[in-house]
Amino acid sequence: ETAGAAGDSVATTTTSPFSTTTTTTTIPARYVPLLEEPPPHEEVTLVTTDGLELAAKYWPGGPVAVLAGHDFHTPSDAADGNDPQSSDNLLWWTGVLADAGYTVLSPDYRGHGLSPESPSIKNSPVDLKAAYDFLVAEGFETIVMAGMVGSGTAAVVLDAEDPEVEFAGIAMIWSAPQEIGLDAQRVLYGIDAPIYLVSFENPRLERWSKLMAAEIEDLYDLVIYGPAPDGVAWVDVNGEEFAGRLLDFVDYIASV
């Protein structure tokens, strides 16, 4: 089975090294080994409509492109001393997609990584549009969005509100229905593309994911991962399954 509606999904348990992964999916798990080093990438510049030049990592590949968005850095993160997110944080799975032959573009949002200005979640759709336009200019017609946390929310808003943007599929990875200045819940029902929801065992995030699933016309899948044991990195427990399921989603979009 390649895709299932939320109402048809049944809870299953898959095996990880620590047996912690529980899903609501009917799609069998796929495990892809993570890479010690991602394939070499190009450094490219994206120009936004408000004149900013954003940095991005680019892996030219096949005719299907994946736009990979990292999480945002918020004032509370800064107060807690957390380092800003960037395209560097995604290399463990963007490298897998690039190694599989897909074209991958991974931008640094404004105020993150090598990009200038201050972080702005509200303006993230503007930054995503610059990345989308770059891929269109390169000749890509099939563009899949894979967005971590707020990036998934921003992608839905951009797809719904910009008539020039039409993602072939959207993976919302640990995404909320609303972020600062962004409301994906309001526009989810109008998205034609298949949407893949990735969540984990957290009462608030699970509730958000199920609320969004009920609004999605074409729900590819909803997967809820368990936490890692204390002292063990989440990627070490679930990384190979996460990468495999994400690769399955891109493969599915490429085959449609």
Side-chain angles (χ1 to χ4, degrees):
E1 189 166 316
T2 55
D8 297 331
S9 296
V10 295
T12 62
T13 300
T14 58
T15 302
S16 77
F18 298 92
S19 299
T20 61
T21 305
T22 301
T23 76
T24 59
T25 179
T26 56
I27 302 175
R30 174 182 178 185
Y31 295 83
V32 174
L34 303 182
L35 306 175
E36 292 186 10
E37 292 288 340
H41 65 269
E42 300 177 10
E43 297 284 351
V44 297
T45 299
L46 315 174
V47 181
T48 68
T49 53
D50 56 350
L52 286 183
E53 293 188 351
L54 306 179
K57 295 178 175 64
Y58 183 50
W59 291 265
V64 174
V66 180
L67 203 174
H70 60 74
D71 190 12
F72 303 126
H73 192 61
T74 66
S76 61
D77 291 325
D80 292 338
N82 295 327
D83 293 332
Q85 296 283 309
S86 74
S87 56
D88 290 341
N89 298 93
L90 309 185
L91 286 170
W92 64 275
W93 59 263
T94 51
V96 170
L97 295 176
D99 190 61
Y102 288 106
T103 293
V104 179
L105 179 65
S106 186
D108 289 340
Y109 291 101
R110 66 185 68 198
H112 297 78
L114 300 178
S115 293
E117 297 294 328
S118 299
S120 174
I121 295 175
K122 183 178 180 180
N123 285 321
S124 56
V126 177
D127 298 348
L128 272 182
K129 179 61 161 48
Y132 184 91
D133 287 346
F134 175 91
L135 290 170
V136 169
E138 290 289 300
F140 292 96
E141 298 180 354
T142 303
I143 301 172
V144 182
M145 178 70 203
M148 299 290 287
V149 197
S151 279
T153 311
V156 168
V157 171
L158 177 63
D159 189 288
E161 296 184 350
D162 192 323
E164 296 181 350
V165 175
E166 187 173 355
F167 290 115
I170 301 173
M172 300 181 72
I173 304 163
W174 308 326
S175 300
Q178 286 95 22
E179 290 280 354
I180 299 172
L182 305 175
D183 188 351
Q185 185 76 35
R186 178 178 58 84
V187 295
L188 264 174
Y189 188 75
I191 301 295
D192 295 329
I195 296 180
Y196 172 31
L197 295 177
V198 182
S199 187
F200 62 85
E201 292 178 10
N202 170 285
R204 183 170 60 176
L205 188 55
E206 286 186 59
R207 182 173 67 253
W208 286 343
S209 297
K210 291 171 182 177
L211 284 171
M212 289 191 291
E215 296 292 329
I216 293 171
E217 291 187 57
D218 189 355
L219 179 64
Y220 167 81
D221 204 6
L222 166 60
V223 177
I224 301 175
Y225 287 95
D230 289 343
V232 180
W234 188 91
V235 171
D236 291 339
V237 178
N238 298 305
E240 292 189 353
E241 181 182 351
F242 173 93
R245 287 189 180 277
L246 184 58
L247 187 55
D248 265 350
F249 175 61
V250 180
D251 286 347
Y252 170 75
I253 300 299
S255 70
V256 174

